Amino acid sequence: MGHINQNTFKFLRDLQDNNTREWFAEEKERYEAALADVRLFVADLINSLSQFDPHITTDIQANKCLFRIYRDTRFSKDKTPYKNWFGAGISKDGRKLDGPEYYIHISPDNSFIACGYWRPEKKHLDAIRQEIDYNEEKFNAIIADLQKKSGLTLEEEDKLKRPPAGYEATHPSIEFLKLKSFVAHKSLSNSALTDKNALNNIIALYKTMLPLKQYLHEAIDND
């Protein structure tokens, strides 16, 4: 297939404007069609990723990578029952991996792809920081290459205000060491996803992100 159908975005826009159980029930067929569209695209991504990333294999099921569209409203002031987006975390354990993964977010005018490790558990976070401390030259080269090839940088909103325990404020990589997540992402327009070459273009971006993902794997695997 290689791209997202425009009808999928149309459904998500309509859902955003009519986020009720009654409307959703009436439009269940459209939802099923949109879900099938995204599922097929994620399956294509898995197949393509498996060709160059040994951590991704063709036996990974797209269904296990997709996040449910139903919102958990128990502790939220926002009681709308449905998400107005589709998302998938692609890893050996689908969306539930505690480790580096690929992610795709499909939402009208707010789509993006990402790669890295979001909010590592303490043991993994310590291992990643230690690896950056020991091997900062390689890490800095990876980040510089991301910027040069694709204009990508690490997200820096999720970080400590002060240096983590054991590291001085004068450390040359202190801004990276303050990070609580290690993720590179790229925003995508609707047309970038509906374009007939969407799959190939996204895979090309993921390939530029692969060295970051490999670095993170090595950090936690060597721990």
Side-chain angles (χ1 to χ4, degrees):
M1 180 181 170
H3 64 91
I4 295 296
N5 192 296
Q6 291 186 13
N7 288 334
T8 296
F9 282 112
K10 178 66 166 60
F11 167 77
L12 291 172
R13 283 191 187 280
D14 290 345
L15 175 58
Q16 185 173 351
D17 294 335
N18 304 275
N19 201 325
T20 67
R21 290 181 175 82
E22 293 75 17
W23 182 88
F24 193 84
E26 292 176 357
E27 303 295 331
K28 193 67 176 291
E29 287 188 10
R30 291 180 63 200
Y31 161 66
E32 295 290 352
L35 177 61
D37 180 46
V38 173
R39 185 190 299 118
L40 182 58
F41 189 71
V42 171
D44 287 342
L45 284 174
I46 292 168
N47 183 62
S48 296
L49 289 167
S50 71
Q51 296 177 29
F52 60 86
D53 186 340
H55 290 92
I56 304 299
T57 58
T58 55
D59 61 350
I60 296 171
Q61 298 179 26
N63 272 342
K64 292 187 177 180
C65 296
L66 287 164
F67 288 87
R68 287 164 52 86
I69 201 168
Y70 307 98
R71 295 183 63 250
D72 184 351
T73 62
R74 290 174 297 174
F75 308 107
S76 174
K77 292 181 180 180
D78 180 2
K79 298 300 181 182
T80 51
Y82 308 104
K83 303 166 186 172
N84 62 338
W85 50 268
F86 289 107
I90 302 174
S91 77
K92 64 181 181 180
D93 291 327
R95 66 184 182 277
K96 296 183 178 180
L97 178 71
D98 189 6
E101 66 177 355
Y102 301 95
Y103 179 75
I104 183 166
H105 190 90
I106 299 170
S107 178
D109 304 318
N110 191 34
S111 297
F112 63 90
I113 59 169
C115 179
Y117 196 164
W118 186 79
R119 287 290 178 98
E121 62 174 64
K122 185 180 186 305
K123 179 182 177 181
H124 286 172
L125 181 57
D126 290 345
I128 292 168
R129 285 174 173 159
Q130 179 176 284
E131 187 68 20
I132 293 173
D133 183 32
Y134 289 172
N135 200 356
E136 62 179 315
E137 184 175 329
K138 181 178 179 180
F139 187 77
N140 289 333
I142 288 171
I143 302 307
D145 204 41
L146 271 175
Q147 174 68 37
K148 181 179 179 181
K149 289 183 177 180
S150 305
L152 300 176
T153 58
L154 286 184
E155 295 181 15
E156 295 204 27
E157 294 180 2
D158 193 20
K159 68 190 301 184
L160 299 171
K161 292 183 179 180
R162 298 180 179 180
Y167 298 97
E168 298 294 333
T170 55
H171 192 292
S173 295
I174 193 59
E175 295 307 314
F176 290 138
L177 293 170
K178 287 180 182 178
L179 293 174
K180 294 187 286 184
S181 295
F182 299 85
V183 177
H185 90 287
K186 176 75 171 179
S187 296
L188 298 174
S189 64
N190 296 352
S191 60
L193 280 164
T194 58
D195 185 276
K196 64 179 181 179
N197 293 315
L199 177 66
N200 292 335
N201 293 337
I202 288 173
I203 288 298
L205 286 168
Y206 277 146
K207 282 183 178 179
T208 67
M209 298 174 179
L210 180 61
L212 170 64
K213 184 170 181 283
Q214 290 174 320
Y215 186 95
L216 298 172
H217 278 298
E218 290 169 5
I220 63 177
D221 290 345
N222 291 336
D223 179 54

